[in-house]
Amino acid sequence: MSEKKIVPEQALALTDELIADYLLDNPEFFNRAPHVLTAVRLADPHRGTISLVERQQQQLRQKVQSLEEEITQLMSVANHNERLFMLYSDLYLRLIDCDSAAELLDCLHRATTELLSLSQLKLWLTGEFSLDHASLSQNDCGGILQNRLADEDYYFGRLQQSEQQLIFSGPTQGSVVLIKLSHEQQTLGFLAISSDDAEHFDPRMDTLLLGQFRKLVAKLLLQQLKQD
C-alpha cells in the first residue's frame, strides 16, 4: 500500500517581507552561503549591474557623505551663532552707554542696517514722549500692536500693505519682525525691523537672543524716556 502524501490546504506565500524577516533573523545565512553575496546581481541606474557587496559599499559611501554634509552645516550654523552672540554682546555694551533715547535709537539703527545688513528699523511708542528721531514711526500703529502682538512678544513674516504704510511710511520688500517692548507690565510699543530677504524672518526662528535684546532695550528705553 503506497504512502499517502499530505499536502497542506494552503501553502504559505513567499513574500518580500518574509524573506527580509528571515535574513534579519538569520544573519548567519550568509556565512553558510557566502557565494550569495557575490552571485546576486542588482540593477543600478548609473553603473548597470552590480553585486550585493558593491551596493552595500555604495550605500555606506552615501551615508558617510550625508553625515559629512550634516556636520559641515552644523559647523556653519555654530559659527554664525557665535558671530551673532559676539555682535549682540558688543551692542548691549553700546546701548548701556547711551545717554539719551535718541542716542539709543542711533545705536540700534546702526547695528540693524550696518552690522546686521538689514533694511529698516522703526520704533512705535504707545504714549506721548518728547522724542524726535528718524526711526520713530509717527502714525497710529495701535491696531497693529493689538492684532499682531496682543498675545505674543514677536511677529515674524510679511505685513499687509496698509500695515507697511503705517509703520514704515511706505511699502517694504521681504520679511519683517515686530518686537513688543514691555517693562514691568508696561507696554511701551514695538520695534519693527525689515529685511529684503523674504525668508529672513521666519516664524521658526529661535528667539533666545531676541528675548534678551527685547528686555534690555525696553528697560533702557523707558529709563531714557523718563529722563528726556
Side-chain angles (χ1 to χ4, degrees):
M1 185 176 180
S2 62
E3 183 180 354
K4 185 178 180 181
K5 186 176 181 181
I6 300 176
V7 179
E9 294 182 2
Q10 184 177 3
L12 185 63
L14 194 61
T15 64
D16 291 350
E17 185 178 357
L18 285 175
I19 296 173
D21 288 342
Y22 173 80
L23 292 176
L24 289 173
D25 293 338
N26 299 273
E28 69 279 359
F29 167 79
F30 292 105
N31 292 331
R32 298 195 303 268
H35 63 283
V36 174
L37 291 173
T38 54
V40 172
R41 312 299 294 177
L42 305 173
D44 185 275
H46 304 291
R47 301 171 57 190
T49 302
I50 61 175
S51 68
L52 190 62
V53 173
E54 289 173 314
R55 172 59 63 84
Q56 187 180 37
Q57 292 173 340
Q58 184 183 59
Q59 290 180 334
L60 287 174
R61 284 194 296 268
Q62 291 173 347
K63 185 175 182 179
V64 169
Q65 182 179 358
S66 177
L67 289 173
E68 289 176 344
E69 292 174 354
E70 184 177 349
I71 291 172
T72 300
Q73 184 179 8
L74 289 173
M75 291 178 63
S76 176
V77 171
N79 290 333
H80 175 71
N81 289 340
E82 183 179 5
R83 290 195 299 272
L84 273 181
F85 177 79
M86 296 303 296
L87 188 150
Y88 272 92
S89 298
D90 182 63
L91 175 61
Y92 294 160
L93 294 176
R94 293 175 183 270
L95 292 176
I96 292 172
D97 288 337
C98 290
D99 294 325
S100 67
E103 187 179 348
L104 188 144
L105 281 177
D106 285 338
C107 186
L108 287 174
H109 185 269
R110 284 195 300 271
T112 301
T113 58
E114 297 176 14
L115 299 180
L116 292 175
S117 300
L118 297 173
S119 180
Q120 298 183 72
L121 176 139
K122 286 290 184 178
L123 169 68
W124 181 76
L125 297 172
T126 57
E128 297 268 345
F129 297 96
S130 58
L131 175 62
D132 184 20
H133 196 276
S135 297
L136 197 63
S137 180
Q138 302 292 347
N139 299 315
D140 183 4
C141 299
I144 299 175
L145 178 67
Q146 180 62 33
N147 294 332
R148 299 294 189 182
L149 299 170
D151 301 316
E152 303 291 340
D153 293 327
Y154 312 96
Y155 170 77
F156 299 94
R158 304 294 295 271
L159 292 175
Q160 297 178 3
Q161 188 171 354
S162 59
E163 294 173 318
Q164 298 172 17
Q165 186 68 36
L166 285 173
I167 298 174
F168 299 102
S169 299
T172 59
Q173 303 295 325
S175 54
V176 171
V177 58
L178 303 181
I179 306 171
K180 182 162 67 176
L181 300 178
S182 55
H183 182 65
E184 296 180 348
Q185 299 182 342
Q186 178 181 354
T187 299
L188 304 176
F190 63 81
L191 277 175
I193 303 173
S194 66
S195 169
D196 292 335
D197 182 359
E199 306 297 327
H200 186 85
F201 291 118
D202 186 276
R204 296 167 295 181
M205 286 184 68
D206 180 66
T207 59
L208 177 61
L209 290 177
L210 272 181
Q212 299 171 341
F213 171 81
R214 183 180 73 88
K215 293 176 182 178
L216 180 63
V217 169
K219 180 178 181 178
L220 294 177
L221 181 61
L222 182 59
Q223 290 176 349
Q224 296 297 345
L225 289 174
K226 287 181 177 180
Q227 294 175 7
D228 291 350

